Every structure is written in C-alpha cells, then in structure tokens.
Amino acid sequence: MASATSFFFLFCLIVSCNFLGTFALLSGSFPLTSTSLSRGGSARNIYLSSRRLGDAPALNYKSSFKYSMALVVTLPIGTPAQDQQMVLDTGSQLSWIQCHKKAPPAKAPPPTTSFDPSLSSSFSVLPCNHPVCKPRIPDFTLPTSCDQKQLCHYSYFYADGTYAEGNLVREKVSFSESQTTPPMVLGCTTESGQAEGILGMNRGRLSFASQAKVQRFSYCVPVRQGDHAIKPTGTFYLGRNPNSGTFQYINLLTFSQSQRMPNLDPLAYTVALLGIKIGGKKLNIPPSVFRPDAGGSGQTMIDSGTEYTFLVEAAYNTIREEVVRLAGAKLKKGYVYGGSLDMCFDGNNPAEIGNLIGDMAFEFDNGAEILIGKDRILDGVGRGIHCLGIGRSESLGVASNIIGNFHQQNLWVEFDLVSQRVGFGKADCSKA
C-alpha cells in the first residue's frame, strides 16, 4: 500500500470529537477488486543474535508468508503472544491488527485471526491526550482529537472502499520469551473490510520498522500460478539476510523538509528508475519521467502492498505503444480489468503472447535491474484473460510510479534502513 502523508497517496488521519467521528486514513495501496486478500497462515522460525548495532540488539527473525494479491505474514503480538496475520506493506505507516469484539458486517470477510486484548498483559489503549493523538506533519495530514470515551478512535479507508475502524493502542511484538519489541502504537480494529491487518513498513516514525528499530528487512516473493487459488509460500526476514552478499544495491532518494512537495510522499522507498526495456529494446522514455518534478509528481517507489505496477502517462503510453506494435492484433479490445489494466489478452495460450512481447526489465543505477521473463509478464485475471501487470497511475488518482509486488516475484528485495538503500537478488523464492 502506498505511503501516508502526501497528496499522492491521499492518506489522512482524523480522530473525531464524538463517538461516531473518525480518524480517517486513505491509503494509496489499491487492490483492484474488493475481494479479500490472501488468508493463508505462515509458519515462522526465530533466530536471535547477540550482536548489537549501537545500543539496540540486532533483531533477526525469519518468517514465511502466503502470497496471492498480497504478502501475508504472521507476527506474534501481545504477552503471551497471539499470532496475527498482517499484509506486509512497505508503502504505508500505521500498522493495525484485527481486534473484533463483535461480528463483522455481513459483507465483510471474516478476520483470519483476531486479537483478544483481555489475554495480553502488555496491552493498553491510547487516551486522546496522548502525543500521537496530536500528530505532526508528515505523519498525518489533519489534526486529531478524540471520541466521547476519551480514546483515540480511528477509521482507515482505502481507495477501493475497504476500511478498518477501531482504537489506537500500544502493544508489544513478542518474538521469543527473552526478546520483545517495546510497546508500539498500533491500530486495534473492531470493524474491517478486509480479512487481515496491515504491517506498515515505510520510513515514517510510526511504522513498525521505525518503532521496532529494524535495521533492515527483506522478502522473497514466489511466483504465483493460474487463478491464484494456490497461494505459494515466500520468505520474510527482519534483520540479517544470509543471502545479501549476492544483492545489487541502489541508493534511496531522500528529501529534506524544504524539498517536500504537495505530490511527494517523503516516507516511501523512492528509487531512481533509469529506464524500461521490452524485448531487449530500451524504450524512449526520458529518465526525468521517473523522478519527482517540482511538485513531487513522478517519484518511483518500491511497494510491497500494491499488487501491480502503475506508471505515469508518459511512461505508460510508451509501453502501450510498444505492446500494441508487438502484439496489438491479440489485444482484447475495449476490455479494462479492475478499472486499471487495459493491455489484456483473451485465450488460453499466454505463452504465445509472452513470446511476441518478450522479456521486460526495469533498469536502475549501479547496473541493478528487475528482469521479468516473458513467461511472467502476463497475469491471469480469470475467465481465460491475461493482462500485462501494468496500469496507468491516473487510474488510481495519483501521479507517481509504483512498482508493485507482481513485478517483485522471484526476487529478494531488501530495505537497508541504516545505509538508506534497496537491494535486489535473483532467487527461486519457492525454495528461499
């Protein structure tokens, strides 16, 4: 899901003055349908290091996750720990868990896991006079207040109409009996339009990565098959990744307070995309299209919480022209999937279309690239239809480039928060 705090992501937090008021958050992570995300569980394996970085112990935690539209990890939350399924989201800040105290609305998917606060000795609810209830820019775009119970009450809305509503709380993540995180600010959701919570991992001060002082984290997204009924298993590391010696790293673009622009998300993992190749041919797209302009439009970010890749008009139109040139006769005319993907093909032979189009590559500095083989450039969306996993950013109401998880398959992606860089490493993620 895309990051909070900017016009691009239309992400805001409002805490109301009355019981029905809302703390509203509009995220830019845009599942293309209202179908619930993956409900698969994920076994975990913990390995804790005594090595210290500065004054903080180096956290090393390994977990698996299930992948369909999203990366669904399981974290042990509370004291004693209760396993909670959460969507790993490098594009948003606030983490929240399911805390259902009443039956969810009939139209909402049932929660995959539900946290019971009464069973945790480390759980506490934030009163409305807590400093987090008076957020500063860029954490949230609007000032907060409280409900009639004097608690921080929030409603978290997504662009596709899904939502989460509850209270802001403090709770620990208990990786083992000997090591837990400090109490962190989370959302405790009592009503939700999706089945899992969110693990917010952007660079904001309230993200899990920031509050838990995570030095680095990484994941390996497995290749999904067919109609997504089978949810393959990937790997997630908090801390040291034993494979990092093979990664190619690119520096993150950072922005000072004075550089923050209305359409820029300063908390996102923004990178310098240099160009895109199709079938070995570098397309005629100026590199400036992938960088923030004077108003902040055009930044390129790596987002695990957005399914597909979305590009600004100049880049998208050039790609579409090339796809039409290579495989235009096969395009499904007048068809748009989910209001966003319009390079779609009918028939049960996607390999034929892949051969016509060829491989695709996103090129970055330092010689790093994300290579998508011709056998993986199309995604099956049902009824025998396959679409190129790229849409127009304007279909989301945004003006930035988002590289989603579909184009991160069979790839280690590491976020090094100390060195301010992102690493890529080729892998068979089903075996990672």
Side-chain angles (χ1 to χ4, degrees):
M1 298 186 182
S3 166
T5 75
S6 66
F7 171 81
F8 165 77
F9 291 98
L10 306 175
F11 177 105
C12 66
L13 174 69
I14 310 166
V15 177
S16 68
C17 301
N18 55 62
F19 181 72
L20 294 178
T22 60
F23 148 51
L25 177 100
L26 181 58
S27 168
S29 179
F30 302 92
L32 296 179
T33 71
S34 59
T35 305
S36 65
L37 300 175
S38 164
R39 300 186 185 183
S42 55
R44 65 177 182 274
N45 176 38
I46 303 168
Y47 61 105
L48 297 170
S49 169
S50 59
R51 181 173 59 90
R52 288 178 173 268
L53 295 176
D55 295 328
L59 172 64
N60 285 293
Y61 172 85
K62 179 182 179 182
S63 174
S64 60
F65 63 85
K66 291 296 183 181
Y67 174 57
S68 59
M69 291 169 58
L71 287 57
V72 181
V73 300
T74 298
L75 285 189
I77 294 179
T79 311
Q82 301 175 45
D83 283 347
Q84 294 296 295
Q85 292 186 13
M86 307 170 76
V87 172
L88 174 61
D89 184 9
T90 61
S92 66
Q93 181 170 193
L94 181 71
S95 298
W96 54 267
I97 54 177
Q98 299 279 0
C99 296
H100 282 272
K101 298 178 182 178
K102 60 182 179 180
K107 65 180 180 179
T112 53
T113 52
S114 187
F115 185 81
D116 186 344
S118 68
L119 300 179
S120 175
S121 61
S122 52
F123 179 89
S124 63
V125 182
L126 263 65
C128 60
N129 62 357
H130 189 280
V132 173
C133 281
K134 298 177 176 60
R136 63 178 187 234
I137 303 298
D139 298 314
F140 307 106
T141 58
L142 295 174
T144 63
S145 55
C146 57
D147 64 22
Q148 66 181 18
K149 295 183 179 181
Q150 302 300 300
L151 301 175
C152 275
H153 181 78
Y154 76 92
S155 294
Y156 188 110
F157 292 98
Y158 294 91
D160 70 342
T162 58
Y163 69 97
E165 183 176 358
N167 288 107
L168 290 184
V169 302
R170 288 170 64 88
E171 185 54 287
K172 297 179 179 181
V173 179
S174 303
F175 294 105
S176 72
E177 291 183 1
S178 61
Q179 183 165 338
T180 65
T181 67
M184 296 185 295
V185 175
L186 304 170
C188 189
T189 298
T190 54
E191 293 188 34
S192 175
Q194 66 182 56
E196 291 87 16
I198 294 289
L199 182 64
M201 294 293 286
N202 77 2
R203 297 194 287 174
R205 63 173 183 140
L206 296 181
S207 75
F208 175 87
S210 295
Q211 292 191 75
K213 296 180 171 57
V214 174
Q215 305 286 334
R216 61 178 65 189
F217 66 94
S218 53
Y219 53 78
C220 199
V221 181
V223 174
R224 64 188 186 192
Q225 304 293 333
D227 61 359
H228 312 170
I230 298 175
K231 299 176 176 61
T233 300
T235 304
F236 172 50
Y237 283 98
L238 287 172
R240 177 173 50 86
N241 185 323
N243 304 284
S244 62
T246 65
F247 297 171
Q248 290 181 297
Y249 287 94
I250 57 176
N251 293 326
L252 291 170
L253 301 183
T254 57
F255 307 92
S256 68
Q257 290 282 353
S258 62
Q259 289 177 292
R260 286 177 179 169
M261 299 158 276
N263 296 337
L264 179 78
D265 180 3
L267 306 181
Y269 294 101
T270 303
V271 295
L273 179 61
L274 300 182
I276 297 174
K277 291 194 299 187
I278 291 181
K281 171 187 174 182
K282 186 167 183 177
L283 302 182
N284 186 23
I285 306 172
S288 60
V289 168
F290 303 118
R291 301 270 187 132
D293 63 16
S297 299
Q299 75 182 118
T300 300
M301 62 202 71
I302 308 294
D303 185 5
S304 67
T306 295
E307 182 178 16
Y308 296 114
T309 291
F310 294 89
L311 301 174
V312 297
E313 283 294 292
Y316 181 86
N317 289 339
T318 302
I319 288 177
R320 196 176 197 286
E321 287 172 5
E322 184 66 8
V323 170
V324 169
R325 186 183 73 83
L326 295 169
K330 302 286 186 178
L331 275 171
K332 187 173 177 62
K333 301 297 190 293
Y335 180 83
V336 180
Y337 174 69
S340 294
L341 306 187
D342 67 355
M343 289 181 280
C344 299
F345 304 85
D346 220 341
N348 295 315
N349 190 10
E352 177 188 0
I353 306 301
N355 287 332
L356 289 174
I357 297 174
D359 300 339
M360 180 180 297
F362 297 92
E363 297 182 312
F364 304 90
D365 53 9
N366 297 332
E369 70 173 12
I370 296 177
L371 178 65
I372 303 100
K374 60 186 178 182
D375 58 329
R376 294 190 292 109
I377 63 170
L378 299 179
D379 190 35
V381 298
R383 300 181 180 180
I385 300 171
H386 293 78
C387 299
L388 198 73
I390 296 179
R392 302 174 189 270
S393 294
E394 72 169 12
S395 70
L396 306 181
V398 300
S400 297
N401 303 291
I402 307 169
I403 299 177
N405 61 57
F406 179 75
H407 287 121
Q408 299 174 43
Q409 295 177 76
N410 266 359
L411 194 70
W412 279 113
V413 184
E414 180 182 79
F415 299 84
D416 184 341
L417 304 180
V418 175
S419 300
Q420 295 292 295
R421 60 183 187 169
V422 175
F424 300 122
K426 297 178 182 178
D428 181 349
C429 294
S430 65
K431 299 177 180 178

